[in-house]
Amino acid sequence: MPITPASAAASDLSSGGSAAPIMLELVDENGTTIGTAEKHSAHVPPGRLHRAFSVFLFDSAGRLLLQRRAQGKYHSPGVWSNTCCGHPYPGEPPFTAAARRTAEELGVSPSLLCEAGTVRYNHPDPASGLVEQEYNHLFVGVVKGEPRPDPEEVGETAFVTAAELAKLHEEGPFSAWFMTVLDAARPAIRELTGQSAGW
């Protein structure tokens, strides 16, 4: 299971200081936009339901690209998670946001990216005290290039088989939402990778 460290230490909050607030799209239970909220405030308990996305990219051998979130992240730092996850800007299509953030965080562009449904969840994060109330758009795809992670976003990356993921999941902390989004995306993952990959 090759692991690629990011090239430098993660920094403090990139959204700190005088930067403009990052806004999220608030939605109802059907995924219909009902307004906007500042990113951090949407995650303060009990949380506000907002639009998000999760990406699962695989190499030609059917291995999943994982990332360990940078230690400087305000939410769920230092834990393993799926290839990329985040929030569209208000009015930004989730597909566009997924491709954009994958390039920004990992320095790669998917050679294939497909919609894989949606999942709604409510996951508190015990470490930070924040809450993920998300209507999450799922995407699966293929990556051919080697990741060049942004160290402010990603601590390290790893390509893993299904068996290697199971072992890693037993050993180390993962994001609170990881298994929920993985399980929801499994039908599309199996269609993409084939039954022999074990997903």
Side-chain angles (χ1 to χ4, degrees):
M1 179 177 65
I3 295 179
T4 305
S7 58
S11 69
D12 292 332
L13 283 177
S14 58
S15 60
S18 60
I22 297 173
M23 303 302 289
L24 307 184
E25 202 168 83
L26 300 179
V27 300
D28 64 16
E29 293 291 340
N30 297 313
T32 303
T33 302
I34 59 173
T36 61
E38 187 274 326
K39 181 178 178 180
H40 187 269
S41 70
H43 293 86
V44 174
R48 302 177 73 184
L49 184 60
H50 57 275
R51 195 177 308 283
F53 65 83
S54 288
V55 178
F56 296 85
L57 295 182
F58 296 82
D59 66 8
S60 59
R63 298 180 305 166
L64 171 62
L65 174 58
L66 295 178
Q67 67 156 280
R68 188 194 292 268
R69 292 166 62 85
Q71 290 292 346
K73 302 282 277 187
Y74 80 95
H75 189 349
S76 302
V79 300
W80 287 104
S81 197
N82 49 294
T83 306
C84 182
C85 53
H87 311 93
Y89 294 130
E92 182 182 28
F95 183 95
T96 302
R100 172 179 59 80
R101 286 302 292 164
T102 300
E104 290 172 354
E105 291 188 10
L106 294 160
V108 294
S109 295
S111 58
L112 174 71
L113 191 63
C114 304
E115 294 183 3
T118 59
V119 61
R120 192 264 195 253
Y121 53 77
N122 172 9
H123 283 307
D125 175 40
S128 68
L130 300 174
V131 176
E132 287 289 7
Q133 287 268 16
E134 293 191 329
Y135 187 93
N136 197 304
H137 297 255
L138 307 172
F139 298 92
V140 300
V142 175
V143 62
K144 293 183 178 178
E146 280 297 317
R148 300 180 306 279
D150 176 352
E152 292 190 2
E153 300 288 345
V154 179
E156 57 186 314
T157 62
F159 282 96
V160 297
T161 65
E164 289 169 340
L165 174 60
K167 185 173 186 296
L168 189 62
H169 192 258
E170 289 178 358
E171 295 173 349
F174 272 70
S175 61
W177 61 87
F178 176 76
M179 287 307 300
T180 299
V181 293
L182 175 62
D183 287 343
R186 279 188 197 275
I189 290 171
R190 291 179 182 131
E191 185 174 346
L192 177 74
T193 62
Q195 292 294 334
S196 63
W199 295 104

